Amino acid sequence: MPEGYQALPLTSYTADMTFPLVQMLQVDLTLDRWRAFVDQYCLPVVKDAQNKKDCGDSILWQRQRGIIVIANERGYIHGLFSYLVRDDMTNGLVLHVDNVMAVEIVSGDYVLDAMRDAMSRLASDHKCSNVYVSLGEMEDRLRGYFAKAGFAPRKVRYCAPATPKVSA
């Protein structure tokens, strides 16, 4: 069964077919907002044309930021995550993963395993020293999976509205 899932870089051409998964997990997200997000993450890689022909889709794995989708053998999308390669003052290049979404329709962690493999490939391709995965505070299943895969809390991210509240 795990061989039935494949990680693929999302392109602006395939973004619309991914929207049903995204909307299922983020019900208030509009198609226009999804397309705008994809456009920001799926910028083309700057390479010469001949190189692009020779590399096929592997050139898309070289993007500094992007979205990876997990598809089954029929092409149905079962998961995705966005990523950004950043230079961390302490650790050097680090792969930051966010917007992790996975739908397992069979028992097992096949989609998440394919995601983890894709993260490892990206980290290796970009020579990253660490992979940081951001998960929502209510995503216990994802937290459990990544903890079993060897991830540990390292840096805590706090969130506040851009417009501060007026103190009383």
Side-chain angles (χ1 to χ4, degrees), residues 3 7 11 15 17 19 21 25 32 50 67-68 106-107 114 118-120 128 137 144 147 157 160 162:
E3 296 82 27
T11 66
M17 66 186 266
F19 184 66
L21 169 75
L25 298 172
D32 288 339
Q50 182 58 42
I67 299 170
I68 301 295
V106 295
S107 175
M119 291 173 199
S120 294
C128 294
E137 56 276 349
R157 190 185 294 188

Side-chain angles (χ1 to χ4, degrees), residues 52-70:
K52 191 170 183 178
K53 284 183 208 170
D54 295 341
C55 295
D57 80 333
S58 67
I59 190 91
L60 297 174
W61 289 87
Q62 299 306 312
R63 295 187 293 202
Q64 291 294 108
R65 64 181 176 198
I67 299 170
I68 301 295
V69 297
I70 307 301

Side-chain angles (χ1 to χ4, degrees), residues 17-63:
M17 66 186 266
T18 307
F19 184 66
L21 169 75
V22 173
Q23 191 175 46
M24 183 172 68
L25 298 172
Q26 298 290 326
V27 294
D28 57 342
L29 191 72
T30 66
L31 180 58
D32 288 339
R33 175 65 189 120
W34 171 243
R35 286 178 179 158
F37 181 79
V38 168
D39 288 346
Q40 289 298 309
Y41 268 83
C42 295
L43 299 173
V45 177
V46 179
K47 298 280 183 184
D48 63 69
Q50 182 58 42
N51 223 0
K52 191 170 183 178
K53 284 183 208 170
D54 295 341
C55 295
D57 80 333
S58 67
I59 190 91
L60 297 174
W61 289 87
Q62 299 306 312
R63 295 187 293 202

Side-chain angles (χ1 to χ4, degrees), residues 40-165:
Q40 289 298 309
Y41 268 83
C42 295
L43 299 173
V45 177
V46 179
K47 298 280 183 184
D48 63 69
Q50 182 58 42
N51 223 0
K52 191 170 183 178
K53 284 183 208 170
D54 295 341
C55 295
D57 80 333
S58 67
I59 190 91
L60 297 174
W61 289 87
Q62 299 306 312
R63 295 187 293 202
Q64 291 294 108
R65 64 181 176 198
I67 299 170
I68 301 295
V69 297
I70 307 301
N72 68 8
E73 63 278 352
R74 293 183 178 178
Y76 294 115
I77 307 298
H78 288 258
L80 65 84
F81 64 87
S82 60
Y83 72 90
L84 173 64
V85 176
R86 288 186 17 203
D87 190 7
D88 184 80
M89 183 171 69
T90 307
N91 298 311
L93 291 178
V94 175
L95 179 69
H96 286 266
V97 173
D98 210 345
N99 302 301
V100 177
M101 298 179 186
V103 176
E104 300 277 4
I105 58 171
V106 295
S107 175
D109 292 325
Y110 303 122
V111 173
L112 292 171
D113 288 343
M115 280 187 186
R116 179 66 182 113
D117 291 346
M119 291 173 199
S120 294
R121 177 180 177 179
L122 286 165
S124 176
D125 287 356
H126 291 280
K127 300 179 180 19
C128 294
S129 61
N130 289 307
V131 177
Y132 292 161
V133 178
S134 295
L135 301 173
E137 56 276 349
M138 302 305 287
E139 296 171 332
D140 291 332
R141 183 177 72 84
L142 294 176
R143 286 172 176 245
Y145 174 84
F146 283 104
K148 283 191 280 183
F151 285 75
R154 179 103 184 255
K155 292 184 176 183
V156 178
R157 190 185 294 188
Y158 290 91
C159 179
T163 306
K165 293 181 180 178

